Amino acid sequence: MKIKVLFVCLGNICRSPMAEAVFAQQVHKYGLHDKIEWDSAGTAGYHIGSAPDKRTLEVLRNYEISTTHKGRRLSSQDVSDYHYIIAMDNANYEDIQRVHSQHKGTSKLHLFREFDPMATLDREVPDPYYGTMKDFELVYEQCLRSSEGLLSHLKEILKTK
Ligand code: 4NP
């Protein structure tokens, strides 16, 4: 059985599609695509069916990463369908936790930057929506480190399966 990972932010157009695309590239790099499955979603339904924000797409393009993701909202089924739900910030985490307890979810919940070796007390990937390209670059760097960390964790779990 594949390990299923869902990345979640608010709108599912800036951070979580970036996280998902960076993670997907690393999963392929390590040849783990037959063992791990992934997607992303938003806690809000503002951008259902939309392509990622053009600034997310630009940063990804600069690193030769592509994505075909379209925005979707976190569902009550997700909190049991996915083994891991990875929140970008504390507000996302609390929103996911609410759905999780209402629907007796079985997923494990984490903040993405719990896996970032450079994170200090602040373990959020900050919302870049009202920011500049510099903020999107920062999100990319945080995603890159957190994704490597998350994959190291999953590799350990896969060894025991
Ligand atoms: P995201 O960023 O949660 O990283 O996708 C946002 C995208 C859209 C909005 C807020 C945050 N919005 O208010 O529409």
Side-chain angles (χ1 to χ4, degrees), residues 8-17 42-44 46-47 53 55-56 88-89 92 125-130 136 139:
V8 175
C9 61
L10 174 63
N12 193 215
I13 54 167
C14 299
R15 292 165 291 173
S16 60
T43 56
Y46 312 139
H47 301 284
D53 186 283
R55 295 162 295 177
T56 282
M88 298 298 121
D89 65 28
N92 309 147
V125 178
D127 186 349
Y129 188 60
Y130 294 106
F136 281 76
V139 169

PDB file of all heavy atoms in Angstrom, residues 8-17 42-44 46-47 53 55-56 88-89 92 125-130 136 139, ligand 1:
ATOM      1  N   VAL A   8      -1.633  20.966   2.668  1.00  0.00           N
ATOM      2  CA  VAL A   8      -2.805  21.846   2.801  1.00  0.00           C
ATOM      3  C   VAL A   8      -2.402  23.273   3.197  1.00  0.00           C
ATOM      4  O   VAL A   8      -1.616  23.470   4.128  1.00  0.00           O
ATOM      5  CB  VAL A   8      -3.795  21.254   3.844  1.00  0.00           C
ATOM      6  CG1 VAL A   8      -4.955  22.207   4.088  1.00  0.00           C
ATOM      7  CG2 VAL A   8      -4.327  19.904   3.372  1.00  0.00           C
ATOM      8  N   CYS A   9      -2.969  24.252   2.463  1.00  0.00           N
ATOM      9  CA  CYS A   9      -2.854  25.665   2.868  1.00  0.00           C
ATOM     10  C   CYS A   9      -4.260  26.260   2.850  1.00  0.00           C
ATOM     11  O   CYS A   9      -5.241  25.518   2.903  1.00  0.00           O
ATOM     12  CB  CYS A   9      -1.882  26.423   1.958  1.00  0.00           C
ATOM     13  SG  CYS A   9      -2.347  26.482   0.215  1.00  0.00           S
ATOM     14  N   LEU A  10      -4.369  27.577   2.757  1.00  0.00           N
ATOM     15  CA  LEU A  10      -5.697  28.202   2.782  1.00  0.00           C
ATOM     16  C   LEU A  10      -6.373  28.144   1.409  1.00  0.00           C
ATOM     17  O   LEU A  10      -7.462  27.585   1.255  1.00  0.00           O
ATOM     18  CB  LEU A  10      -5.548  29.658   3.264  1.00  0.00           C
ATOM     19  CG  LEU A  10      -6.798  30.535   3.236  1.00  0.00           C
ATOM     20  CD1 LEU A  10      -7.870  29.993   4.185  1.00  0.00           C
ATOM     21  CD2 LEU A  10      -6.445  31.974   3.615  1.00  0.00           C
ATOM     22  N   GLY A  11      -5.708  28.702   0.400  1.00  0.00           N
ATOM     23  CA  GLY A  11      -6.356  28.848  -0.901  1.00  0.00           C
ATOM     24  C   GLY A  11      -6.037  27.757  -1.911  1.00  0.00           C
ATOM     25  O   GLY A  11      -6.684  27.655  -2.945  1.00  0.00           O
ATOM     26  N   ASN A  12      -5.010  26.957  -1.633  1.00  0.00           N
ATOM     27  CA  ASN A  12      -4.527  25.912  -2.543  1.00  0.00           C
ATOM     28  C   ASN A  12      -4.108  26.473  -3.907  1.00  0.00           C
ATOM     29  O   ASN A  12      -4.265  25.815  -4.930  1.00  0.00           O
ATOM     30  CB  ASN A  12      -5.574  24.791  -2.718  1.00  0.00           C
ATOM     31  CG  ASN A  12      -5.050  23.534  -3.397  1.00  0.00           C
ATOM     32  OD1 ASN A  12      -5.768  22.870  -4.155  1.00  0.00           O
ATOM     33  ND2 ASN A  12      -3.812  23.185  -3.161  1.00  0.00           N
ATOM     34  N   ILE A  13      -3.573  27.709  -3.888  1.00  0.00           N
ATOM     35  CA  ILE A  13      -3.011  28.232  -5.149  1.00  0.00           C
ATOM     36  C   ILE A  13      -1.570  28.719  -4.992  1.00  0.00           C
ATOM     37  O   ILE A  13      -0.880  28.900  -5.994  1.00  0.00           O
ATOM     38  CB  ILE A  13      -3.869  29.367  -5.781  1.00  0.00           C
ATOM     39  CG1 ILE A  13      -4.110  30.490  -4.781  1.00  0.00           C
ATOM     40  CG2 ILE A  13      -5.167  28.825  -6.373  1.00  0.00           C
ATOM     41  CD1 ILE A  13      -4.669  31.757  -5.432  1.00  0.00           C
ATOM     42  N   CYS A  14      -1.110  28.966  -3.760  1.00  0.00           N
ATOM     43  CA  CYS A  14       0.270  29.461  -3.585  1.00  0.00           C
ATOM     44  C   CYS A  14       1.180  28.405  -2.939  1.00  0.00           C
ATOM     45  O   CYS A  14       2.041  27.830  -3.605  1.00  0.00           O
ATOM     46  CB  CYS A  14       0.283  30.738  -2.736  1.00  0.00           C
ATOM     47  SG  CYS A  14      -0.638  32.105  -3.460  1.00  0.00           S
ATOM     48  N   ARG A  15       0.995  28.172  -1.628  1.00  0.00           N
ATOM     49  CA  ARG A  15       1.954  27.336  -0.900  1.00  0.00           C
ATOM     50  C   ARG A  15       1.795  25.836  -1.128  1.00  0.00           C
ATOM     51  O   ARG A  15       2.780  25.141  -1.414  1.00  0.00           O
ATOM     52  CB  ARG A  15       1.860  27.630   0.608  1.00  0.00           C
ATOM     53  CG  ARG A  15       2.329  29.000   0.973  1.00  0.00           C
ATOM     54  CD  ARG A  15       1.886  29.365   2.371  1.00  0.00           C
ATOM     55  NE  ARG A  15       0.441  29.556   2.447  1.00  0.00           N
ATOM     56  CZ  ARG A  15      -0.258  29.750   3.544  1.00  0.00           C
ATOM     57  NH1 ARG A  15       0.374  29.756   4.709  1.00  0.00           N
ATOM     58  NH2 ARG A  15      -1.563  29.936   3.515  1.00  0.00           N
ATOM     59  N   SER A  16       0.574  25.304  -0.948  1.00  0.00           N
ATOM     60  CA  SER A  16       0.464  23.838  -1.014  1.00  0.00           C
ATOM     61  C   SER A  16       0.707  23.265  -2.417  1.00  0.00           C
ATOM     62  O   SER A  16       1.294  22.180  -2.524  1.00  0.00           O
ATOM     63  CB  SER A  16      -0.846  23.324  -0.395  1.00  0.00           C
ATOM     64  OG  SER A  16      -1.968  23.845  -1.041  1.00  0.00           O
ATOM     65  N   PRO A  17       0.331  23.990  -3.512  1.00  0.00           N
ATOM     66  CA  PRO A  17       0.731  23.448  -4.826  1.00  0.00           C
ATOM     67  C   PRO A  17       2.250  23.479  -5.021  1.00  0.00           C
ATOM     68  O   PRO A  17       2.814  22.616  -5.691  1.00  0.00           O
ATOM     69  CB  PRO A  17       0.032  24.374  -5.834  1.00  0.00           C
ATOM     70  CG  PRO A  17      -0.972  25.136  -5.066  1.00  0.00           C
ATOM     71  CD  PRO A  17      -0.513  25.189  -3.638  1.00  0.00           C
ATOM     72  N   GLY A  42      -6.983  23.061  -0.236  1.00  0.00           N
ATOM     73  CA  GLY A  42      -7.094  24.284   0.571  1.00  0.00           C
ATOM     74  C   GLY A  42      -8.181  24.113   1.618  1.00  0.00           C
ATOM     75  O   GLY A  42      -9.142  23.369   1.398  1.00  0.00           O
ATOM     76  N   THR A  43      -8.044  24.816   2.744  1.00  0.00           N
ATOM     77  CA  THR A  43      -9.105  24.756   3.753  1.00  0.00           C
ATOM     78  C   THR A  43     -10.291  25.619   3.312  1.00  0.00           C
ATOM     79  O   THR A  43     -11.407  25.428   3.771  1.00  0.00           O
ATOM     80  CB  THR A  43      -8.597  25.224   5.130  1.00  0.00           C
ATOM     81  OG1 THR A  43      -8.065  26.546   4.978  1.00  0.00           O
ATOM     82  CG2 THR A  43      -7.536  24.288   5.672  1.00  0.00           C
ATOM     83  N   ALA A  44     -10.042  26.592   2.423  1.00  0.00           N
ATOM     84  CA  ALA A  44     -11.120  27.440   1.903  1.00  0.00           C
ATOM     85  C   ALA A  44     -11.437  27.039   0.464  1.00  0.00           C
ATOM     86  O   ALA A  44     -10.614  26.420  -0.204  1.00  0.00           O
ATOM     87  CB  ALA A  44     -10.683  28.899   1.951  1.00  0.00           C
ATOM     88  N   TYR A  46     -12.071  29.173  -2.084  1.00  0.00           N
ATOM     89  CA  TYR A  46     -12.027  30.361  -2.958  1.00  0.00           C
ATOM     90  C   TYR A  46     -11.567  30.050  -4.380  1.00  0.00           C
ATOM     91  O   TYR A  46     -11.907  30.771  -5.305  1.00  0.00           O
ATOM     92  CB  TYR A  46     -11.014  31.408  -2.436  1.00  0.00           C
ATOM     93  CG  TYR A  46     -11.064  31.768  -0.988  1.00  0.00           C
ATOM     94  CD1 TYR A  46      -9.874  31.936  -0.260  1.00  0.00           C
ATOM     95  CD2 TYR A  46     -12.276  31.992  -0.329  1.00  0.00           C
ATOM     96  CE1 TYR A  46      -9.888  32.302   1.072  1.00  0.00           C
ATOM     97  CE2 TYR A  46     -12.287  32.353   1.009  1.00  0.00           C
ATOM     98  CZ  TYR A  46     -11.092  32.505   1.702  1.00  0.00           C
ATOM     99  OH  TYR A  46     -11.091  32.864   3.016  1.00  0.00           O
ATOM    100  N   HIS A  47     -10.740  29.051  -4.541  1.00  0.00           N
ATOM    101  CA  HIS A  47     -10.062  28.880  -5.838  1.00  0.00           C
ATOM    102  C   HIS A  47     -10.224  27.462  -6.406  1.00  0.00           C
ATOM    103  O   HIS A  47      -9.302  26.928  -7.024  1.00  0.00           O
ATOM    104  CB  HIS A  47      -8.573  29.220  -5.699  1.00  0.00           C
ATOM    105  CG  HIS A  47      -8.341  30.621  -5.238  1.00  0.00           C
ATOM    106  ND1 HIS A  47      -8.475  31.710  -6.077  1.00  0.00           N
ATOM    107  CD2 HIS A  47      -8.041  31.121  -4.020  1.00  0.00           C
ATOM    108  CE1 HIS A  47      -8.241  32.825  -5.393  1.00  0.00           C
ATOM    109  NE2 HIS A  47      -7.978  32.488  -4.136  1.00  0.00           N
ATOM    110  N   ASP A  53      -1.294  30.122  -8.464  1.00  0.00           N
ATOM    111  CA  ASP A  53      -0.956  31.538  -8.653  1.00  0.00           C
ATOM    112  C   ASP A  53       0.237  31.655  -9.611  1.00  0.00           C
ATOM    113  O   ASP A  53       1.159  30.834  -9.564  1.00  0.00           O
ATOM    114  CB  ASP A  53      -0.593  32.104  -7.269  1.00  0.00           C
ATOM    115  CG  ASP A  53      -0.364  33.600  -7.282  1.00  0.00           C
ATOM    116  OD1 ASP A  53       0.712  34.024  -7.742  1.00  0.00           O
ATOM    117  OD2 ASP A  53      -1.254  34.320  -6.802  1.00  0.00           O
ATOM    118  N   ARG A  55       2.726  33.494  -9.621  1.00  0.00           N
ATOM    119  CA  ARG A  55       4.030  33.638  -8.963  1.00  0.00           C
ATOM    120  C   ARG A  55       4.563  32.285  -8.483  1.00  0.00           C
ATOM    121  O   ARG A  55       5.771  32.022  -8.539  1.00  0.00           O
ATOM    122  CB  ARG A  55       3.910  34.642  -7.809  1.00  0.00           C
ATOM    123  CG  ARG A  55       3.584  36.051  -8.295  1.00  0.00           C
ATOM    124  CD  ARG A  55       3.051  36.914  -7.189  1.00  0.00           C
ATOM    125  NE  ARG A  55       1.764  36.431  -6.679  1.00  0.00           N
ATOM    126  CZ  ARG A  55       1.098  36.980  -5.666  1.00  0.00           C
ATOM    127  NH1 ARG A  55       1.602  38.032  -5.051  1.00  0.00           N
ATOM    128  NH2 ARG A  55      -0.068  36.469  -5.264  1.00  0.00           N
ATOM    129  N   THR A  56       3.670  31.406  -8.033  1.00  0.00           N
ATOM    130  CA  THR A  56       4.077  30.028  -7.686  1.00  0.00           C
ATOM    131  C   THR A  56       4.589  29.332  -8.948  1.00  0.00           C
ATOM    132  O   THR A  56       5.641  28.686  -8.939  1.00  0.00           O
ATOM    133  CB  THR A  56       2.881  29.254  -7.082  1.00  0.00           C
ATOM    134  OG1 THR A  56       2.728  29.668  -5.726  1.00  0.00           O
ATOM    135  CG2 THR A  56       3.084  27.750  -7.105  1.00  0.00           C
ATOM    136  N   MET A  88       0.547  24.108   6.183  1.00  0.00           N
ATOM    137  CA  MET A  88       1.574  25.133   5.953  1.00  0.00           C
ATOM    138  C   MET A  88       1.708  26.081   7.149  1.00  0.00           C
ATOM    139  O   MET A  88       2.806  26.517   7.460  1.00  0.00           O
ATOM    140  CB  MET A  88       1.260  25.950   4.682  1.00  0.00           C
ATOM    141  CG  MET A  88       1.250  25.136   3.410  1.00  0.00           C
ATOM    142  SD  MET A  88       2.847  24.371   3.032  1.00  0.00           S
ATOM    143  CE  MET A  88       2.375  22.652   3.000  1.00  0.00           C
ATOM    144  N   ASP A  89       0.586  26.432   7.800  1.00  0.00           N
ATOM    145  CA  ASP A  89       0.704  27.340   8.953  1.00  0.00           C
ATOM    146  C   ASP A  89      -0.236  26.902  10.075  1.00  0.00           C
ATOM    147  O   ASP A  89      -1.008  25.939   9.922  1.00  0.00           O
ATOM    148  CB  ASP A  89       0.520  28.817   8.547  1.00  0.00           C
ATOM    149  CG  ASP A  89      -0.883  29.135   8.039  1.00  0.00           C
ATOM    150  OD1 ASP A  89      -1.848  28.462   8.443  1.00  0.00           O
ATOM    151  OD2 ASP A  89      -1.011  30.086   7.233  1.00  0.00           O
ATOM    152  N   ASN A  92      -4.000  26.861   9.283  1.00  0.00           N
ATOM    153  CA  ASN A  92      -4.354  25.678   8.473  1.00  0.00           C
ATOM    154  C   ASN A  92      -4.458  24.454   9.381  1.00  0.00           C
ATOM    155  O   ASN A  92      -5.397  23.667   9.289  1.00  0.00           O
ATOM    156  CB  ASN A  92      -3.320  25.351   7.396  1.00  0.00           C
ATOM    157  CG  ASN A  92      -2.910  26.481   6.497  1.00  0.00           C
ATOM    158  OD1 ASN A  92      -1.764  26.550   6.050  1.00  0.00           O
ATOM    159  ND2 ASN A  92      -3.833  27.383   6.218  1.00  0.00           N
ATOM    160  N   VAL A 125       5.024  28.116   7.224  1.00  0.00           N
ATOM    161  CA  VAL A 125       5.344  28.613   5.881  1.00  0.00           C
ATOM    162  C   VAL A 125       4.397  29.800   5.711  1.00  0.00           C
ATOM    163  O   VAL A 125       3.184  29.619   5.569  1.00  0.00           O
ATOM    164  CB  VAL A 125       5.071  27.551   4.784  1.00  0.00           C
ATOM    165  CG1 VAL A 125       5.367  28.134   3.402  1.00  0.00           C
ATOM    166  CG2 VAL A 125       5.871  26.275   5.019  1.00  0.00           C
ATOM    167  N   PRO A 126       4.924  31.048   5.757  1.00  0.00           N
ATOM    168  CA  PRO A 126       4.022  32.200   5.766  1.00  0.00           C
ATOM    169  C   PRO A 126       3.275  32.402   4.448  1.00  0.00           C
ATOM    170  O   PRO A 126       3.822  32.127   3.372  1.00  0.00           O
ATOM    171  CB  PRO A 126       4.952  33.382   6.062  1.00  0.00           C
ATOM    172  CG  PRO A 126       6.337  32.885   6.016  1.00  0.00           C
ATOM    173  CD  PRO A 126       6.340  31.400   5.870  1.00  0.00           C
ATOM    174  N   ASP A 127       2.045  32.889   4.571  1.00  0.00           N
ATOM    175  CA  ASP A 127       1.190  33.122   3.403  1.00  0.00           C
ATOM    176  C   ASP A 127       1.790  34.234   2.525  1.00  0.00           C
ATOM    177  O   ASP A 127       1.921  35.371   2.973  1.00  0.00           O
ATOM    178  CB  ASP A 127      -0.200  33.537   3.918  1.00  0.00           C
ATOM    179  CG  ASP A 127      -1.211  33.670   2.802  1.00  0.00           C
ATOM    180  OD1 ASP A 127      -0.812  33.658   1.621  1.00  0.00           O
ATOM    181  OD2 ASP A 127      -2.403  33.791   3.124  1.00  0.00           O
ATOM    182  N   PRO A 128       2.156  33.921   1.264  1.00  0.00           N
ATOM    183  CA  PRO A 128       2.795  34.939   0.408  1.00  0.00           C
ATOM    184  C   PRO A 128       1.793  35.686  -0.477  1.00  0.00           C
ATOM    185  O   PRO A 128       2.187  36.528  -1.277  1.00  0.00           O
ATOM    186  CB  PRO A 128       3.710  34.071  -0.473  1.00  0.00           C
ATOM    187  CG  PRO A 128       2.894  32.825  -0.681  1.00  0.00           C
ATOM    188  CD  PRO A 128       2.088  32.612   0.582  1.00  0.00           C
ATOM    189  N   TYR A 129       0.499  35.383  -0.350  1.00  0.00           N
ATOM    190  CA  TYR A 129      -0.509  35.859  -1.326  1.00  0.00           C
ATOM    191  C   TYR A 129      -0.470  37.372  -1.518  1.00  0.00           C
ATOM    192  O   TYR A 129      -0.532  37.857  -2.636  1.00  0.00           O
ATOM    193  CB  TYR A 129      -1.895  35.408  -0.880  1.00  0.00           C
ATOM    194  CG  TYR A 129      -2.992  35.667  -1.888  1.00  0.00           C
ATOM    195  CD1 TYR A 129      -2.953  35.096  -3.165  1.00  0.00           C
ATOM    196  CD2 TYR A 129      -4.093  36.476  -1.566  1.00  0.00           C
ATOM    197  CE1 TYR A 129      -3.979  35.313  -4.083  1.00  0.00           C
ATOM    198  CE2 TYR A 129      -5.115  36.697  -2.474  1.00  0.00           C
ATOM    199  CZ  TYR A 129      -5.055  36.119  -3.726  1.00  0.00           C
ATOM    200  OH  TYR A 129      -6.073  36.340  -4.633  1.00  0.00           O
ATOM    201  N   TYR A 130      -0.361  38.131  -0.417  1.00  0.00           N
ATOM    202  CA  TYR A 130      -0.324  39.592  -0.526  1.00  0.00           C
ATOM    203  C   TYR A 130       1.123  40.107  -0.543  1.00  0.00           C
ATOM    204  O   TYR A 130       1.358  41.298  -0.356  1.00  0.00           O
ATOM    205  CB  TYR A 130      -1.120  40.234   0.620  1.00  0.00           C
ATOM    206  CG  TYR A 130      -2.596  39.912   0.509  1.00  0.00           C
ATOM    207  CD1 TYR A 130      -3.196  38.984   1.367  1.00  0.00           C
ATOM    208  CD2 TYR A 130      -3.385  40.501  -0.484  1.00  0.00           C
ATOM    209  CE1 TYR A 130      -4.543  38.665   1.245  1.00  0.00           C
ATOM    210  CE2 TYR A 130      -4.729  40.176  -0.619  1.00  0.00           C
ATOM    211  CZ  TYR A 130      -5.306  39.261   0.249  1.00  0.00           C
ATOM    212  OH  TYR A 130      -6.634  38.942   0.119  1.00  0.00           O
ATOM    213  N   PHE A 136       7.577  34.460  -2.295  1.00  0.00           N
ATOM    214  CA  PHE A 136       7.375  33.168  -2.966  1.00  0.00           C
ATOM    215  C   PHE A 136       8.684  32.374  -3.029  1.00  0.00           C
ATOM    216  O   PHE A 136       8.674  31.145  -2.921  1.00  0.00           O
ATOM    217  CB  PHE A 136       6.776  33.371  -4.369  1.00  0.00           C
ATOM    218  CG  PHE A 136       5.294  33.626  -4.335  1.00  0.00           C
ATOM    219  CD1 PHE A 136       4.784  34.860  -3.952  1.00  0.00           C
ATOM    220  CD2 PHE A 136       4.391  32.611  -4.635  1.00  0.00           C
ATOM    221  CE1 PHE A 136       3.418  35.093  -3.882  1.00  0.00           C
ATOM    222  CE2 PHE A 136       3.021  32.823  -4.566  1.00  0.00           C
ATOM    223  CZ  PHE A 136       2.534  34.070  -4.192  1.00  0.00           C
ATOM    224  N   VAL A 139       9.115  30.790   0.308  1.00  0.00           N
ATOM    225  CA  VAL A 139       8.249  29.606   0.404  1.00  0.00           C
ATOM    226  C   VAL A 139       8.930  28.422  -0.286  1.00  0.00           C
ATOM    227  O   VAL A 139       8.964  27.310   0.259  1.00  0.00           O
ATOM    228  CB  VAL A 139       6.846  29.872  -0.223  1.00  0.00           C
ATOM    229  CG1 VAL A 139       6.055  28.577  -0.363  1.00  0.00           C
ATOM    230  CG2 VAL A 139       6.068  30.890   0.609  1.00  0.00           C
TER     231      VAL A 139
HETATM  232  P1  4NP B   1      -2.305  29.932  -0.178  1.00  0.00           P
HETATM  233  O1  4NP B   1      -2.413  31.522  -0.363  1.00  0.00           O
HETATM  234  O2  4NP B   1      -3.134  29.609   1.036  1.00  0.00           O
HETATM  235  O3  4NP B   1      -0.856  29.710   0.031  1.00  0.00           O
HETATM  236  O4  4NP B   1      -2.848  29.328  -1.462  1.00  0.00           O
HETATM  237  C1  4NP B   1      -3.629  32.214  -0.475  1.00  0.00           C
HETATM  238  C2  4NP B   1      -4.289  32.196  -1.668  1.00  0.00           C
HETATM  239  C3  4NP B   1      -5.481  32.912  -1.797  1.00  0.00           C
HETATM  240  C4  4NP B   1      -5.983  33.607  -0.717  1.00  0.00           C
HETATM  241  C5  4NP B   1      -5.302  33.606   0.494  1.00  0.00           C
HETATM  242  C6  4NP B   1      -4.117  32.895   0.614  1.00  0.00           C
HETATM  243  N1  4NP B   1      -7.182  34.362  -0.852  1.00  0.00           N
HETATM  244  O5  4NP B   1      -7.555  35.055   0.111  1.00  0.00           O
HETATM  245  O6  4NP B   1      -7.819  34.289  -1.923  1.00  0.00           O
END
